Amino acid sequence: MADGTEKREKSKKSGWLWPVGVMATGLAGAVVVALRGCWHRRMSWPVRGQGCAYQVCLGCGAKRLFDEDRFRAYGPYRYDLNELIAWSRVARMGKPAPPKVERPAS
Ligand SMILES: [Zn+2]
């Protein structure tokens, strides 16, 4: 009983992150979190490959595009770099502005 309560409290604490995470990273991200329990907190130093910069999660190996000008990662997490490149192409074509998860600069 005590164990279950403890676990439930823990997941409740970070519960608000779920909707945000699901929206930001899409289904793939949700699956990653569900299967691996990885929040991609530890990302590698950005590396260049196939004409784009990206970071790799040190925990699970997921990749994420990296904007070298703004020095921040953006877009969804994917294990396949080609998928990321395809995503960035679509995103760039759709609208020149960066992804929707925009926060006011502070
Ligand atoms: Zn990860």
Side-chain angles (χ1 to χ4, degrees):
M1 234 207 206
D3 289 333
T5 323
E6 227 171 69
K7 249 186 191 167
R8 194 165 272 177
E9 254 171 42
K10 211 176 178 187
S11 63
K12 208 176 194 181
K13 228 177 190 179
S14 58
W16 66 271
L17 277 172
W18 269 98
V20 179
V22 168
M23 274 198 275
T25 64
L27 192 59
V31 169
V32 167
V33 170
L35 292 184
R36 310 218 182 194
C38 183
W39 286 102
H40 316 307
R41 289 234 168 98
R42 308 185 71 211
M43 300 299 285
S44 79
W45 204 239
V47 285
R48 293 200 124 257
Q50 299 184 38
C52 67
Y54 61 95
Q55 287 180 300
V56 183
C57 176
L58 298 176
C60 69
K63 299 175 184 66
R64 197 180 186 200
L65 290 171
F66 189 82
D67 189 325
E68 289 176 304
D69 294 328
R70 302 169 127 227
F71 211 77
R72 58 190 273 188
Y74 66 98
Y77 291 94
R78 290 287 140 83
Y79 288 101
D80 190 349
L81 182 57
N82 292 320
E83 267 185 54
L84 275 183
I85 291 169
W87 178 90
S88 74
R89 262 188 211 140
V90 171
R92 243 181 256 169
M93 264 195 247
K95 43 182 166 178
K100 45 194 167 180
V101 195
E102 265 285 277
R103 271 185 231 163
S106 55

